Amino acid sequence: MSAFTLSAAEWDVLRLSVKVALGATLLILPLGVFMGYLLARREFRGRTIVEILITLPLVMPPVATGLILLLLLGRESIVGGWLERAFGIRFVFNTKGAVVAAAVVSFPLLVKAAQLAFSGVDPRLEGAARTLGAGRVRTFFAVSLPLAWPGVAAGLVLAFARCLGEFGATIVFAGNVAGRTRILPLAMYNAYQSPDGMGEATRLLALSVLIASAALVAGTWLDRRGKKKLGRMDAS
Amino acid sequence: MTVLEVELKHRYASGFELDVQMSMSGGRCALFGPSGSGKTTILKAIAGLLRPDLARIVVAGDVLDGAGVRVTPERRGVGFVFQDHLLFPHLTVEKNLIFGRPRGAKDQDGAFFRRVVDALDLGDLLRHRPHELSGGQSQRVALGRAILSRPRILLMDEPLASLDRALKRRVLDHLDRVTEEFDIPLLFVSHAQGDVLRLAEEIVSLDDGRVVAQGPTADVLEQEEREGRLNPLNLVEVTDVTEEGGYWKGRMGHQWVFFSTPPAPAGRPTYIRFGASDVTLARTRPEGLSIRNCIPATVERIVEPEGGGMIFVAMDAGVRIWSEITPRARDELKLATGEDVFCLLKTAALRTF
């Protein structure tokens, strides 16, 4: 096999990784954007605790995050046990687990980016929308979100890229099962650990670099396009 | 009929207290007073954008704030034109304009949309984005956007502040046009007496968080004058000022006036002020008088303060001029709205600044 051709197994790894990262990004999208908006706009009781809880996965070792997830959602836990009995949902050794692990780890990146983006939107524009008859929901979707969108989109790209890099939390919480939870970094580690896997590890590495670069390019493009569409916001 | 009743108390973090009771009967009303007297706060409270400590706000008979009632901003039917316009930067002018269009009114609204666009000369701007507009254009869009939301009352924060002379005149023309054509009561904030005189039929005068006077423009200004808060009753802008034989000559509306004090430094507008009692009225152009300024005008309104006393006559001479006369003079001159008169002004009574 040539150094530049992917094997069927490597293609599977790629597909799974993108699937997990996309799934996790879509999963955190609504709540992440909402939390970002909430933190940018409102003072509420327990705000500090919420901020700490959201930021924690960003600063904790991912292995620790994985352990916490295992304690909260593992088969032996109350919540995890109930989810399995009532709905048959299982996270451990399951792609769903990989998605949850990636989601939790990338969540703070989206929230922080969204919070920053919403802070940059003049709240008086929202007031103006209200006096024009728009309720809270319409004001959010017609004014706040479109104006914050470049920043939110950048946050989504960042979160997606972080999902692709997930290792620690996934291996602890969801395990390292080929075809189910073995995403790129796990596959890379596996290949590197096996006696003659250096070639495969290198190909996966190249793939990793490629996807990450593509994500960053997409992010920059979204940001530029968004800013262009808004024109010079400060001039209005 | 009363279109607006406001009672509110609010204490700011700075300790400043606002304690206001006011009402407005329709037409155009000015919230007048120095900056920091609480004018903008009152507008925001009426629009529901600020929650005062205590408020009772009634618009066109509907209680918007009161015991156990607090209507959200979107359900108040209160239009707001902000001082910096606050157009939505991500939407075209057209999308900005229709943002507040009531739901379900789309078909019969097309004609209304065209009327507003025409009245405010917005036809050429519809495809533009807010950052491409000049200040005056953006204000017109903001005004059109508010009108298209079909408000029961329109609030404007300092619509005439920081405009140059030519622009101010155009804005005033547009305001005249839309408030009359669309018959929307207008409450606007201003700290400039000249603007208030020109635009308002009623005044609520504020000082230090309290209402010090309210009522028809002439009454309030007269009261302000009497109580020493305000000196002149007439304040008008003069343009094209030149010196002529030891006097100054300038254009006031479509007439020339002569005055003896120098104009404002170059680059700043010149205003002249004079008391209403300095304006003598005549039905025919008098001859053989020493008075140099004889300005033809049309009577717009005659205001008789409650309890008798002097009468105030508002006249249109391209600018608004107030005159103070006795009831007897009114009877002898047979003054009535729409009649033509001549305003006689002594050169020495005119002061420039």
Side-chain angles (χ1 to χ4, degrees):
Chain A
M1 179 196 277
S2 121
F4 299 104
T5 332
L6 296 180
S7 69
E10 286 161 3
W11 272 113
D12 285 346
V13 167
L14 176 62
R15 254 195 300 275
L16 180 71
S17 299
V18 172
K19 191 173 137 189
V20 166
L22 269 180
T25 311
L26 288 177
L27 186 68
I28 60 173
L29 172 62
L31 188 64
V33 169
F34 177 72
M35 286 310 299
Y37 181 74
L38 206 66
L39 291 174
R41 281 288 182 270
R42 300 228 191 271
E43 286 302 325
F44 52 91
R45 204 182 292 228
R47 188 195 151 100
T48 314
I49 293 171
V50 170
E51 277 197 285
I52 288 174
L53 281 177
I54 288 174
T55 318
L56 221 48
L58 194 66
V59 289
M60 264 193 328
V63 172
T65 306
L67 271 175
I68 291 175
L69 283 174
L70 206 54
L71 290 173
L72 288 176
L73 298 174
R75 301 184 71 178
E76 313 298 314
S77 72
I78 297 171
V79 179
W82 175 73
L83 279 173
E84 181 164 358
R85 280 194 308 277
F87 303 102
I89 296 174
R90 210 154 59 97
F91 294 112
V92 179
F93 303 132
N94 194 308
T95 307
K96 287 194 190 77
V99 170
V100 168
V104 169
V105 169
S106 57
F107 188 63
L109 292 171
L110 176 61
V111 174
K112 293 283 157 190
Q115 182 180 353
L116 197 68
F118 284 116
S119 303
V121 176
D122 187 345
R124 296 176 318 141
L125 285 170
E126 291 162 1
R130 301 288 301 278
T131 66
L132 290 164
R136 282 179 200 284
V137 175
R138 178 162 174 237
T139 298
F140 177 79
F141 283 106
V143 176
S144 320
L145 188 58
L147 288 172
W149 181 246
V152 172
L156 283 172
V157 170
L158 209 60
F160 178 78
R162 176 66 187 85
C163 290
L164 286 175
E166 200 359 67
F167 182 86
T170 308
I171 206 165
V172 172
F173 178 52
N176 184 2
V177 186
R180 286 206 207 141
T181 71
R182 189 175 294 160
I183 51 178
L184 257 172
L186 272 67
M188 224 184 302
Y189 179 74
N190 254 43
Y192 155 79
Q193 288 280 302
S194 58
D196 51 358
M198 214 40 205
E200 190 188 353
T202 315
R203 281 194 301 279
L204 291 172
L205 166 69
L207 208 56
S208 233
V209 172
L210 210 68
I211 299 176
S213 308
L216 289 178
V217 168
T220 314
W221 179 76
L222 272 175
D223 190 42
R224 284 229 187 100
R225 204 185 66 133
K227 283 195 177 126
K228 206 161 148 193
K229 215 173 154 195
L230 295 186
R232 286 173 298 120
M233 284 174 58
D234 52 351
S236 55
Chain B
M1 194 193 130
T2 309
V3 299
L4 174 70
E5 283 169 66
V6 175
E7 269 182 65
L8 66 88
K9 283 190 169 87
H10 189 66
R11 198 192 179 93
Y12 295 76
S14 64
F16 179 74
E17 261 187 39
L18 192 63
D19 185 353
V20 171
Q21 283 189 33
M22 56 167 277
S23 69
M24 169 185 169
S25 58
R28 298 187 294 213
C29 177
L31 262 178
F32 175 62
S35 50
S37 54
K39 304 186 295 284
T40 302
T41 303
I42 295 174
L43 288 197
K44 282 189 179 161
I46 297 170
L49 295 176
L50 176 144
R51 186 172 210 163
D53 298 339
L54 207 73
R56 180 179 157 76
I57 294 169
V58 183
V59 169
D62 283 348
V63 178
L64 300 183
D65 285 288
V69 180
R70 184 177 154 75
V71 178
T72 54
E74 64 268 24
R75 291 169 187 270
R76 290 187 166 227
V78 172
F80 203 133
V81 179
F82 297 84
Q83 192 175 358
D84 47 0
H85 318 145
L86 295 178
L87 300 183
F88 302 124
H90 59 304
L91 301 178
T92 60
V93 166
E94 184 172 11
K95 294 257 172 67
N96 263 282
L97 286 172
I98 60 176
F99 187 93
R101 187 164 61 175
R103 253 180 250 166
K106 276 174 188 157
D107 290 336
Q108 80 251 30
D109 240 40
F112 186 62
F113 179 79
R114 295 260 37 117
R115 268 173 65 204
V116 173
V117 165
D118 289 345
L120 290 165
D121 299 327
L122 297 172
D124 295 337
L125 303 175
L126 293 179
R127 300 202 180 288
H128 285 62
R129 289 199 175 263
H131 67 87
E132 299 165 335
L133 305 179
S134 70
Q137 291 170 333
S138 131
Q139 186 184 44
R140 264 148 53 208
V141 176
L143 180 57
R145 182 176 71 171
I147 291 170
L148 281 163
S149 73
R150 304 277 188 136
R152 293 182 288 183
I153 184 172
L154 189 60
L155 312 177
M156 285 187 94
D157 195 359
E158 293 279 8
L160 301 165
S162 66
L163 299 177
D164 66 42
R165 258 184 270 172
L167 192 54
K168 187 181 274 190
R169 201 162 302 143
R170 288 228 303 279
V171 171
L172 284 166
D173 286 347
H174 281 119
L175 278 177
D176 280 343
R177 223 192 285 173
V178 295
T179 49
E180 272 158 36
E181 179 166 357
F182 303 112
D183 196 25
I184 304 172
L186 171 69
L187 176 65
F188 71 99
V189 155
S190 179
H191 65 268
Q193 195 191 343
D195 300 342
V196 169
L197 272 172
R198 163 68 176 75
L199 196 59
E201 287 139 14
E202 278 181 296
I203 293 184
V204 175
S205 182
L206 288 172
D207 196 17
D208 200 25
R210 302 277 187 285
V211 172
V212 289
Q214 60 183 315
T217 303
D219 297 2
V220 172
L221 292 181
E222 195 268 341
Q223 184 187 342
E224 299 262 283
E225 189 181 29
R226 204 173 47 224
E227 290 169 8
R229 282 190 297 270
L230 212 60
N231 295 321
L233 186 55
N234 286 298
L235 183 141
V236 293
E237 198 180 341
V238 287
T239 56
D240 309 318
V241 179
T242 51
E243 200 174 354
E244 200 177 280
Y247 286 93
W248 298 88
K249 187 179 134 188
R251 190 184 281 281
M252 175 175 89
H254 35 70
Q255 288 294 314
W256 292 99
V257 287
F258 295 90
F259 44 94
S260 50
T261 56
R268 287 231 309 270
T270 297
Y271 290 92
I272 52 173
R273 63 181 185 205
F274 47 98
S277 55
D278 293 323
V279 181
T280 306
L281 296 186
R283 284 310 291 262
T284 52
R285 185 182 284 273
E287 282 169 35
L289 275 183
S290 66
I291 287 179
R292 290 190 74 184
N293 294 312
C294 175
I295 294 159
T298 312
V299 175
E300 280 188 331
R301 220 146 49 87
I302 300 175
V303 180
E304 301 182 41
E306 278 171 42
M310 299 299 273
I311 287 172
F312 288 87
V313 184
M315 285 155 302
D316 177 14
V319 294
R320 179 171 286 171
I321 296 177
W322 288 97
S323 173
E324 182 183 6
I325 57 170
T326 59
R328 206 173 139 187
R330 188 230 9 225
D331 295 342
E332 282 173 5
L333 290 171
K334 298 191 175 62
L335 283 186
T337 309
E339 298 277 347
D340 293 327
V341 289
F342 291 91
C343 303
L344 309 179
L345 294 167
K346 263 179 128 165
T347 307
L350 306 181
R351 299 262 167 247
T352 53
F353 67 98

